[in-house]
């Protein structure tokens, strides 16, 4: 399959770009942040997203979605990244929808997927517990109790956790931290007794929460997939999330870069445009190259996820690691080349830097993915 | 089954039946590369058989027209063939500057007679070409070249000196940049001309490099008489041809050393560095460097694939090969810094059977030219800044 977008995919990109540029430019994020908006995103815009077909992008047509794949999800995330749009797209349309499509039984799918597609349900995926992404180290316990399970533990960096109507939670039903076996995914109602949700205001002004589970009782129907066999499903959903976040980083890197190059062509010092200085030209050129390479690696990962998801680990880690390193560099060069203005809150560049930092951590940073690659290659 | 799937399964079967096992091992020494030419010798029977079978199939240059001995494959088929060859680690049957550099330029700028004369001899490995571009005073500033070609009836008479001419001492013909109008601005008085290295007045002198090898020569022209019909494109417009050819050259150099067939770098390193109880390389910092390297290497391979696909779709940027050349060559230098670090003391022996006569050290030193030849890294970044980013004064 060629590593370029098809005509349909280009049209999707254009429509996502048009919608987000018009309705959710960066001013939208600033408004949410400055007004300390309780929801952290616009429900009206999310309804609009659903009407455009974006909320149900990964939901099968039989449940009211468009039945598209990771490449299409990545296209939308890239546009979200360009405008730093606060949106439940990642949590709900990508992570939760993928988990339900891959792991849900007929009843679970029928209960939730149509509501995801029509924009009426916000759902999210709760995995991380410690400061760093270590999915195999999940310690949260799910112990059999009566017909169901009792959950105890805590999750962090749960995207949109404080506004979610449904939590998909990874917990340990057997085995020890570090083992792949013994993990199980559960569908949990955040209003259930024993669930407490603390919204965490984050550096990037995007939604996240810490959620604790204190003897939370769930029925056997709440299990998503198979008991003790959730590791594979977890990996599959995480891989889609990683590919999607890599796309968001490509989008934000390119936007920061474009703004920076524009600035190099406008700003004068020493009687010259600063873009005439070779010291800056060469750094801009290497950054352009890094972004193009990240873009290619990310598209490869997304295509692999759609074609042969079981063999996507390598391509996904390459993309997430490369795009993470690139984004980190793009935002730092963006601030540096904007000089003092880049340090001001009034300029948008700093907002990109903050979001890039969060995207790095989401589902494993560049170190995590380089390590995963070394592990897989057995050295 | 689509036509392309059909083509893939046929190709796979054909390669399986026709590629000798010896030709499915990574290239280890210079002898493993077959360059063709008048004085060529095969280093093994397997190399000969593999070359002849691929030549007869038209697959020494799969995407050239069949009338010139190519395979006539469309871009999608050519990609399938590359993938299937890579899957079994099949070596290229023929390496040639004719294929990588001159051919594309001739296909675009050559006359029918020039194409008919030269292309079949390239695909059949009969003529080995070299490139006469750089001069002692025209390196990065290539367009300031001074080798002159003076008009004399139906001929040009060429006098001057080239340098860094790869394998000029083995080459049969040269494609050469010469100044045909010394009064014009520097880019406007250059012509692109072809001639036989056996012509009277041509001499070559290998240059000993830090690797102890001599892949490059000084090449001297003393009144070499060349028919004017050997100019490719328009007289005095040779810079257009030269730049077009450089795009292909840069794409080629970008891929040098890449496509790491064989064992992962980390496992190669483990043979000298050792592994700990968990089987991890016994040097955690080197291990991290290798993992980072492999991320970048794999990502670059995606970009190379995408560059071809973009060009096919008419969305490529002509200067993008400069971007790839920069990244690919810097990466290859990194690979060899890692290999030397991993090899430690063992990799330092310059003359011993243990070190295969310093093979790794010599390769390491050779890679330092990657970011110089075909345009330095700094020149590549300047091209990206100017032609892609449109930065002022670049």
């Amino acid at each position: 399959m060629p590593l370029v977008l098809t005509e349909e995919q280009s049209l999707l990109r254009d429509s996502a770009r048009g919608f987000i540029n018009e309705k959710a430019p960066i001013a939208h994020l600033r408004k949410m942040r400055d007004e300390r908006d309780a929801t952290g995103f616009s429900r009206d815009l999310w309804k609009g997203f659903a009407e455009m077909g974006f909320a149900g992008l990964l939901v099968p047509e039989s449940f009211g979605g468009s039945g598209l794949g990771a490449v299409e999800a990545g296209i939308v995330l890239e546009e979200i990244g360009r405008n730093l749009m606060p949106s439940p797209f990642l949590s709900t349309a990508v992570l939760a929808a993928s988990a339900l499509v891959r792991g849900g039984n007929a009843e679970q799918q029928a209960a939730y997927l149509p509501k995801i597609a029509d924009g009426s349900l916000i759902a999210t995926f709760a995995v991380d517990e410690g400061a760093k992404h270590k999915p195999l180290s999940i310690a949260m316990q799910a112990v059999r109790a009566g017909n169901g399970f009792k959950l105890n533990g805590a999750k962090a960096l749960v995207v949109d956790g404080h506004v979610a109507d449904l939590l998909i939670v990874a917990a340990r039903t057997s085995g020890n931290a570090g083992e792949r076996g013994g993990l199980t995914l559960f569908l949990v109602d955040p209003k259930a007794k024993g669930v407490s949700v603390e919204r965490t205001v984050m550096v990037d002004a995007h939604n996240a929460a810490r959620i604790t589970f204190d003897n939370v009782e769930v029925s056997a129907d709440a299990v998503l997939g198979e008991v003790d066999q959730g590791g594979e499903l977890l990996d599959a959903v995480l891989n889609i999330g990683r590919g999607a976040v890599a796309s968001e980083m490509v989008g934000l890197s390119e936007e920061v870069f474009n703004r920076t190059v524009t600035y190099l062509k406008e700003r004068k010092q020493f009687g010259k445009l600063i873009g005439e200085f070779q010291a800056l030209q060469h750094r801009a050129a290497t950054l352009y190259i890094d972004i193009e390479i990240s873009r290619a690696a990310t598209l490869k990962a997304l295509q692999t996820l759609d074609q042969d998801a079981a063999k996507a680990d390598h391509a996904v880690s390459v993309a997430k690691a490369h795009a993470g390193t690139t984004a980190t560099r793009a935002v730092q060069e963006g601030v540096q080349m904007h000089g003092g203005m880049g340090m001001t809150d009034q300029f948008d560049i700093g907002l990109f830097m903050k979001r890039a930092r969060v995207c790095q951590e989401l589902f494993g940073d560049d170190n995590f993915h380089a390590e995963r690659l070394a592990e897989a290659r057995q050295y | 089954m689509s036509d392309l799937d059909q083509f893939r399964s046929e190709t796979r079967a054909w390669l399986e039946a026709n590629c000798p096992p010896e030709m499915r091992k990574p290239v280890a020494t210079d002898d493993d590369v077959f360059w063709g030419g008048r004085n060529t010798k095969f280093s093994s029977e397997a190399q000969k058989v593999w070359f002849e079978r691929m030549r007869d199939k038209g697959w020494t240059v799969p995407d050239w027209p069949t009338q010139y001995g190519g395979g006539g494959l469309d871009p999608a088929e050519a990609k399938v063939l590359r993938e299937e060859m890579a899957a079994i680690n099949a070596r290229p049957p023929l390496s040639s500057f004719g294929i990588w550099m001159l051919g594309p330029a001739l296909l675009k700028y050559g006359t029918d007679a020039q194409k008919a004369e030269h292309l079949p001899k390239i695909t059949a490995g009969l003529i080995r070409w070299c490139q006469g571009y750089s001069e002692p005073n025209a390196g990065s500033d290539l367009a300031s070249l001074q080798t002159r070609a003076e008009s004399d009836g139906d001929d040009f008479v060429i006098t001057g000196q080239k340098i860094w001419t790869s394998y000029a001492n083995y080459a049969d013909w040269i494609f050469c940049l010469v100044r045909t109008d010394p009064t014009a601005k520097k880019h406007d008085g250059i012509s692109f001309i072809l001639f036989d290295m056996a012509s009277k007045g041509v001499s070559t002198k290998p240059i000993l490099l830090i690797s102890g090898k001599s892949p490059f020569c000084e090449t001297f022209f003393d009144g070499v008489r060349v028919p004017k019909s050997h100019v490719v494109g328009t007289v005095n417009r040779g810079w257009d041809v030269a730049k077009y050819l450089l795009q292909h050259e840069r794409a080629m150099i970008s891929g040098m050393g890449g496509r790491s067939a064989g064992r992962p770098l980390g496992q190669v390193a483990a043979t000298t560095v050792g592994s700990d109880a968990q089987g991890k390389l016994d040097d955690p910092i080197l291990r991290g460097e290798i993992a980072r390297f492999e991320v970048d290497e794999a990502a670059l391979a995606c970009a190379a694939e995408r560059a071809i696909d973009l060009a096919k779709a008419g969305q490529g940027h002509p200067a993008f090969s400069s971007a790839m050349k920069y990244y690919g060559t810097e990466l290859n230098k990194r690979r060899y810094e890692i290999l030397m670090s991993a090899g430690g003391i063992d990799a330092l022996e310059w003359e011993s059977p243990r070190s295969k006569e310093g093979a790794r050290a010599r390769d390491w030193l050779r890679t330092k030219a990657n970011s110089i030849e075909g345009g330095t890294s700094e020149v590549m970044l300047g091209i990206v800044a100017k032609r892609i980013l449109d930065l002022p004064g670049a």
Side-chain angles (χ1 to χ4, degrees):
Chain A
M1 168 165 263
L3 269 182
V4 290
L5 299 185
T6 64
E7 205 166 313
E8 292 79 17
Q9 288 164 347
S10 300
L11 289 172
L12 173 70
R13 180 196 59 201
D14 294 345
S15 77
R17 185 173 295 178
F19 182 93
I20 297 170
N21 277 348
E22 190 199 328
K23 314 261 187 190
I26 291 179
H28 174 64
L29 172 70
R30 285 186 179 278
K31 189 160 176 285
M32 292 281 149
R33 181 192 70 168
D34 296 344
E35 293 176 359
R36 305 186 71 82
D37 184 276
T39 315
F41 72 98
S42 156
R43 290 201 186 266
D44 280 350
L45 281 187
W46 183 239
K47 192 149 281 178
F49 242 51
E51 281 158 14
M52 299 283 288
F54 301 151
L57 210 62
L58 298 180
V59 172
E61 285 172 294
S62 53
F63 292 110
S66 356
L68 293 170
V71 173
E72 285 80 10
I75 287 168
V76 175
L77 248 319
E78 189 178 322
E79 299 309 318
I80 286 175
R82 276 178 213 284
N83 286 286
L84 305 177
M85 180 191 186
S87 158
F89 184 79
L90 177 65
S91 61
T92 304
V94 178
L95 297 167
S98 298
L100 286 160
V101 168
R102 281 158 186 279
N105 58 35
E107 280 161 38
Q108 291 165 335
Q109 292 187 340
Y112 299 114
L113 287 175
K115 291 183 179 172
I116 287 178
D118 73 16
S120 61
L121 182 95
I122 305 297
T124 189
F125 201 57
V127 179
D128 288 327
E129 298 177 359
K132 298 296 286 185
H133 177 68
K134 291 182 188 171
L136 293 186
S137 297
I138 287 170
M140 177 158 163
Q141 293 291 326
V143 180
R144 279 189 193 274
N147 276 337
F149 294 84
K150 208 175 259 185
L151 308 184
N152 277 291
K155 295 290 180 182
L157 192 60
V158 182
V159 179
D160 296 315
H162 74 297
V163 286
D165 308 302
L166 173 69
L167 308 173
I168 301 175
V169 182
R172 192 164 283 289
T173 35
S174 69
N176 298 308
E179 292 174 10
R180 175 171 305 271
L183 293 173
T184 306
L185 300 186
F186 293 92
L187 302 172
V188 182
D189 179 353
K191 295 193 187 70
K193 189 163 170 279
V195 178
S196 47
V197 179
E198 176 202 350
R199 179 187 189 180
T200 44
V201 174
M202 305 299 275
V203 63
D204 64 339
H206 278 52
N207 280 342
R210 287 186 184 271
I211 304 183
T212 53
F213 301 81
D214 182 14
N215 285 319
V216 176
E217 290 177 21
V218 294
S219 71
D221 298 344
V223 172
L224 188 71
E226 301 293 322
V227 175
D228 285 345
Q229 308 297 318
E232 214 167 293
L233 178 59
L234 177 66
D235 278 345
V237 176
L238 284 174
N239 271 350
I240 292 171
R242 289 157 179 157
V245 176
S247 263
E248 183 174 346
M249 290 194 288
V250 169
L252 79 80
S253 299
E254 194 163 87
E255 181 63 26
V256 166
F257 179 70
N258 290 342
R259 287 168 182 237
T260 304
V261 169
T262 300
Y263 190 72
L264 296 181
K265 294 175 184 176
E266 292 168 358
R267 169 77 172 167
K268 278 193 168 177
Q269 286 289 277
F270 305 104
K272 281 180 171 180
L273 293 168
I274 60 172
E276 291 179 59
F277 295 115
Q278 205 171 47
L280 297 184
Q281 288 179 350
H282 284 192
R283 277 158 54 197
T286 58
L287 190 49
Y288 162 83
I289 295 167
D290 281 343
I291 293 170
E292 286 302 309
I293 291 173
S294 287
R295 170 179 296 287
T298 299
L299 185 53
K300 183 67 154 186
L302 297 169
Q303 286 185 354
T304 310
L305 283 164
D306 285 336
Q307 283 160 17
D308 195 356
K311 291 189 182 149
D313 279 6
H314 180 260
V316 165
S317 280
V318 167
K320 182 70 168 64
H322 201 276
T325 308
T326 296
T328 301
R329 203 175 142 238
V331 295
Q332 293 188 69
E333 289 287 47
V335 169
Q336 179 68 21
M337 291 189 193
H338 277 85
M341 291 312 292
M343 288 301 294
T344 63
D345 184 69
Q346 181 202 338
F347 251 61
D348 289 338
I349 296 294
L351 296 173
F352 286 95
M353 177 174 274
K354 293 169 177 177
R355 181 62 187 158
R357 190 60 244 155
V358 174
C359 287
Q360 263 274 35
E361 292 302 323
L362 274 171
F363 318 129
D365 62 9
D366 46 0
N367 290 336
F368 174 94
H369 287 286
E371 167 67 31
R372 191 161 86 133
L373 192 139
E375 286 275 345
R377 296 199 154 197
Q378 301 177 321
Y379 60 82
Chain B
M1 194 186 270
S2 75
D3 289 351
L4 204 58
D5 289 337
Q6 174 85 23
F7 176 77
R8 186 183 292 278
S9 70
E10 285 169 12
T11 299
R12 187 175 296 173
W14 189 88
L15 290 172
E16 192 49 50
N18 287 282
C19 183
E22 301 92 321
M23 295 294 107
R24 303 183 193 193
K25 292 177 187 153
V27 169
T29 69
D30 293 347
D31 278 350
D32 293 342
V33 180
F34 179 63
W35 288 92
R38 286 173 189 149
N39 306 311
T40 194
K41 285 195 200 82
F42 293 100
S43 63
S44 70
E45 183 61 21
Q47 191 182 64
K48 177 166 184 279
V49 164
W50 176 228
F51 166 73
E52 287 173 351
R53 287 175 181 167
M54 287 291 274
R55 176 197 64 197
D56 293 348
K57 192 92 176 156
W59 285 358
T60 52
V61 197
D63 57 350
W64 284 8
T66 50
Q67 68 183 114
Y68 304 127
L73 302 189
D74 67 30
E77 290 168 335
K79 186 174 184 178
V80 166
L81 175 58
R82 275 197 305 277
E83 289 168 354
E84 292 301 320
M85 286 178 67
I88 62 168
N89 290 330
R91 287 181 191 168
L94 175 63
S95 296
S96 146
F97 297 147
I99 296 174
W100 301 324
M101 295 198 259
L102 177 62
L106 269 185
L107 284 166
K108 185 171 167 79
Y109 290 98
T111 62
D112 287 344
Q114 287 169 337
K115 288 188 260 192
E117 168 66 20
H118 297 295
L119 295 176
K121 293 177 185 169
I122 292 172
T123 56
L126 295 173
I127 292 294
R128 181 169 180 176
W129 286 85
C130 65
Q131 177 189 37
Y133 268 37
S134 295
E135 297 181 4
N137 291 313
S140 288
D141 183 12
L142 178 62
S144 67
L145 60 94
Q146 294 299 324
T147 292
R148 62 182 198 276
E150 286 164 342
S151 177
D152 183 14
D154 290 338
D155 295 340
F156 281 117
V157 177
I158 298 173
T159 302
Q161 185 195 339
K162 296 290 175 181
I163 195 167
W164 314 124
T165 327
S166 299
Y167 305 117
N169 47 339
Y170 302 123
D172 305 312
W173 275 65
I174 187 168
F175 48 93
C176 196
L177 296 179
V178 294
R179 188 157 297 284
T180 36
D181 183 355
T183 63
K185 282 196 295 181
K186 67 179 181 180
H187 292 93
D188 295 339
I190 294 170
S191 298
F192 186 104
I193 195 165
L194 314 175
F195 54 94
D196 194 322
M197 289 291 279
S199 308
K200 187 162 173 286
V202 178
S203 60
T204 63
K205 187 177 157 202
I207 304 165
L208 183 64
L209 298 187
I210 52 178
S211 61
K213 296 187 183 182
S214 301
F216 302 112
C217 294
E218 291 178 287
T219 306
F220 303 92
F221 310 126
D222 182 9
V224 181
R225 195 163 273 280
V226 180
K228 287 180 175 169
S229 62
H230 287 197
V231 169
V232 178
T234 310
V235 171
N236 292 331
R237 299 300 309 160
W239 189 246
D240 297 338
V241 186
K243 276 195 303 186
Y244 181 75
L245 185 145
L246 277 171
Q247 289 170 21
H248 288 270
E249 178 179 3
R250 286 165 185 164
M252 168 195 84
I253 296 172
S254 167
M256 269 185 181
R259 298 177 296 272
S260 59
R263 283 188 304 166
L265 197 49
Q267 290 180 22
V268 174
T271 59
T272 40
V273 175
S275 301
D276 66 14
Q278 281 86 45
K280 290 183 181 175
L281 196 64
D282 205 3
D283 179 339
I285 293 175
L286 179 64
R287 178 174 178 271
E289 264 184 49
I290 293 175
R292 292 287 193 159
F293 169 84
E294 290 201 325
V295 166
D296 291 346
E297 182 189 44
L300 176 70
C302 297
E305 184 183 339
R306 178 168 152 85
I308 293 170
D309 293 338
L310 279 171
K312 236 185 291 176
Q315 300 168 26
H317 192 293
F320 194 69
S321 61
S322 296
M324 297 294 289
K325 200 264 176 188
Y326 167 79
Y327 201 91
T329 56
E330 296 299 332
L331 199 65
N332 203 33
K333 290 198 294 182
R334 242 168 93 196
R335 171 200 306 278
Y336 274 90
E337 287 300 328
I338 287 170
L339 279 167
M340 286 304 287
S341 170
I345 294 167
D346 291 357
L348 302 178
E349 290 189 10
W350 192 245
E351 293 178 359
S352 78
R354 276 185 302 277
S355 69
K356 299 204 177 92
E357 304 305 318
R360 186 179 290 186
R362 291 171 198 270
D363 287 348
W364 161 65
L365 291 163
R366 171 64 182 87
T367 62
K368 301 307 176 197
N370 292 162
S371 51
I372 302 169
E373 59 200 327
T376 63
S377 282
E378 291 72 19
V379 168
M380 296 303 99
L381 295 177
I383 289 172
V384 170
K386 178 182 182 178
R387 295 188 53 204
I388 300 182
L389 305 181
D390 197 27
L391 284 168

